[in-house]
Amino acid sequence: SYNFNYYFHSRNPSGFRPAPFETGYFGTVKADPNFNAQNDAAKLKKAIETKGVDEATIVEVIAKRSNAQRQQIKAAYQQSAGKDLAADLKKALKSDFEEVVLALLLTPPEYDAFEMKRAMKGAGTSEAVLNEILGTRSNKEITALKNSYKEVYGELLEENIKSDIKGDLETTLLALCKATRSEDRNIDDGMAKSDAKALFEAGENRIGTVCSVLIDILTNRSEAQLCKILQYYGQFSKDGLAKDLEGELSGNFEDCLMTLVKSALNKHAYFAERLKLAMKGLGTDTDTLTRILVSRSEIDLLKIMQEYKRMYGKSLQEDLLKETKGDYEKIVLALCGTP
């Protein structure tokens, strides 16, 4: 039912529609041109101390400033109030609204590190979160996330992954952790052809999938190169790589490789699909909504919203209005750039 089926399962490579490469700012959150950190810190202090808490002001200040500006507000608050802004907000707020506000106060690498740590905490591991973060971030973002992780938790991300995850998924996530994946926009046509053939032979053509070949190609080639490989793969397989992977693999390992494939083809469509799935069925997965809306708000949320509309025929805001409520609804809509 997703448009991904159109991208992936097209037998004819000319029916293939990867996202065009564009440069520019596609975030929804922009720096406030009349920014004053001291004023904002004072507004927040007053909002926190108001009887019943003034959530509207908190939304106004926190969601309508860039991340760099929020860091300055934290410093100004510490200086004037002598207290930690995040700690004060944590005491004053609750549930999903509190989660978003605290997420917005972290720097992007700190937030990625926080989400990775949370995904591995406690009894079960949330592999889907690890797949989403490591499968969509650039080398620079992964390096920054690893540094933050070590700084904040005093542990190495790779060591935590090793103790929590096993098998092919562990191998894949550790390969992504290296942050050495090619980011070259130039395509090597001959290599794309031979990789496509190797992928086909590793999977479809043999009994028992040779996972090491899949992992090696999907974690090392650039996203532009992967798009070309997928195109050539269509010459060997009538169903396309995604369909073949779904047939041969299962569970979290399949989810991880599919993340790499989808992200290479069209990262905005990948996130749009994740948002849609978070609102599907009974109960809304607010953790996923929060993570994607916060982490993409200064990168490409505008593009994700465009893909969402194209894929599902209605705007992300319409679905958020339907699936969320209260202050949480107000702040996620503010992050989408809704006045």
Side-chain angles (χ1 to χ4, degrees):
S1 65
Y2 295 116
N3 287 36
F4 270 121
N5 295 343
Y6 170 69
Y7 289 142
F8 284 152
H9 305 156
S10 156
R11 296 180 183 192
N12 152 17
S14 65
F16 192 84
R17 298 273 179 280
F21 179 64
E22 297 169 285
T23 53
Y25 183 74
F26 302 114
T28 46
V29 171
K30 297 178 176 65
D32 177 8
N34 308 309
F35 176 63
N36 181 311
Q38 284 71 25
N39 288 358
D40 282 347
K43 276 186 205 166
L44 288 174
K45 189 172 191 306
K46 193 176 163 204
I48 291 168
E49 288 166 358
T50 302
K51 190 171 161 46
V53 185
D54 172 8
E55 286 93 350
T57 297
I58 294 172
V59 171
E60 196 45 50
V61 174
I62 301 279
K64 301 289 174 75
R65 306 290 182 272
S66 68
N67 192 277
Q69 289 176 335
R70 287 181 216 122
Q71 303 314 313
Q72 291 175 258
I73 297 170
K74 272 162 51 176
Y77 189 92
Q78 180 72 51
Q79 209 175 3
S80 62
K83 287 188 286 187
D84 180 61
L85 176 59
D88 280 1
L89 284 165
K90 195 174 170 60
K91 280 199 290 260
L93 308 175
K94 52 184 190 300
S95 74
D96 297 328
F97 181 59
E98 175 200 322
E99 293 272 324
V100 187
V101 172
L102 296 179
L104 288 164
L105 288 177
L106 296 171
T107 63
E110 283 169 353
Y111 185 45
D112 276 347
F114 172 80
E115 284 292 293
M116 295 287 286
K117 182 70 177 166
R118 188 161 75 145
M120 293 187 279
K121 246 191 191 152
T125 298
S126 175
E127 289 88 354
V129 176
L130 307 180
N131 294 344
E132 179 199 298
I133 293 175
L134 290 174
T136 61
R137 303 301 193 256
S138 67
N139 291 338
K140 196 174 156 191
E141 287 168 330
I142 290 172
T143 303
L145 141 69
K146 288 196 299 188
N147 292 339
S148 258
Y149 197 94
K150 187 164 181 246
E151 214 171 287
V152 178
Y153 305 109
E155 295 163 1
L156 293 175
L157 176 62
E158 291 91 333
E159 294 305 320
N160 282 181
I161 288 173
K162 276 180 201 163
S163 60
D164 261 57
I165 312 279
K166 295 286 166 267
D168 293 319
L169 181 61
E170 178 197 357
T171 310
T172 312
L173 294 175
L174 290 174
L176 293 170
C177 264
K178 286 190 194 132
T180 53
R181 189 177 174 189
S182 165
E183 291 181 342
D184 193 353
R185 300 282 332 153
N186 299 315
I187 290 166
D188 180 332
D189 209 66
M191 191 176 170
K193 258 187 196 140
S194 61
D195 277 349
K197 192 166 189 288
L199 283 174
F200 181 67
E201 287 171 354
E204 276 295 85
N205 248 352
R206 291 198 204 156
I207 309 291
T209 307
V210 186
C211 294
S212 58
V213 177
L214 294 176
I215 296 168
D216 181 54
I217 293 173
L218 293 176
T219 61
N220 283 304
R221 304 297 180 263
S222 71
E223 294 190 332
Q225 187 72 14
L226 277 181
C227 285
K228 198 70 186 163
I229 293 168
L230 291 167
Q231 216 172 331
Y232 280 126
Y233 188 92
Q235 296 175 3
F236 300 103
S237 158
K238 65 182 197 307
D239 290 327
L241 179 63
K243 198 84 192 276
D244 288 351
L245 288 179
E246 283 169 356
E248 293 156 29
L249 308 171
S250 61
N252 294 313
F253 177 54
E254 179 199 322
D255 176 64
C256 185
L257 296 190
M258 289 297 275
T259 299
L260 293 169
V261 170
K262 289 178 176 185
S263 181
L265 271 173
N266 188 329
K267 194 170 288 185
H268 310 129
Y270 164 76
F271 281 120
E273 184 187 44
R274 294 275 292 156
L275 289 167
K276 184 70 174 175
L277 291 172
M279 294 187 275
K280 216 179 162 189
L282 280 172
T284 298
D285 173 5
T286 50
D287 286 346
T288 296
L289 289 184
T290 298
R291 185 177 55 258
I292 295 174
L293 295 174
V294 170
S295 65
R296 308 313 291 184
S297 61
E298 289 186 47
I299 300 176
D300 55 3
L301 187 50
L302 272 180
K303 290 277 169 198
I304 294 166
M305 285 158 61
Q306 280 171 12
E307 283 295 324
Y308 194 97
K309 184 106 187 352
R310 190 185 63 76
M311 288 163 74
Y312 305 112
K314 53 184 168 182
S315 73
L316 174 61
Q317 288 98 320
E318 281 173 75
D319 279 347
L320 287 170
L321 274 167
K322 208 168 70 214
E323 297 293 333
T324 61
K325 55 185 190 301
D327 296 313
Y328 181 73
E329 176 185 273
K330 291 190 185 83
I331 200 163
V332 293
L333 289 174
L335 286 177
C336 292
T338 316

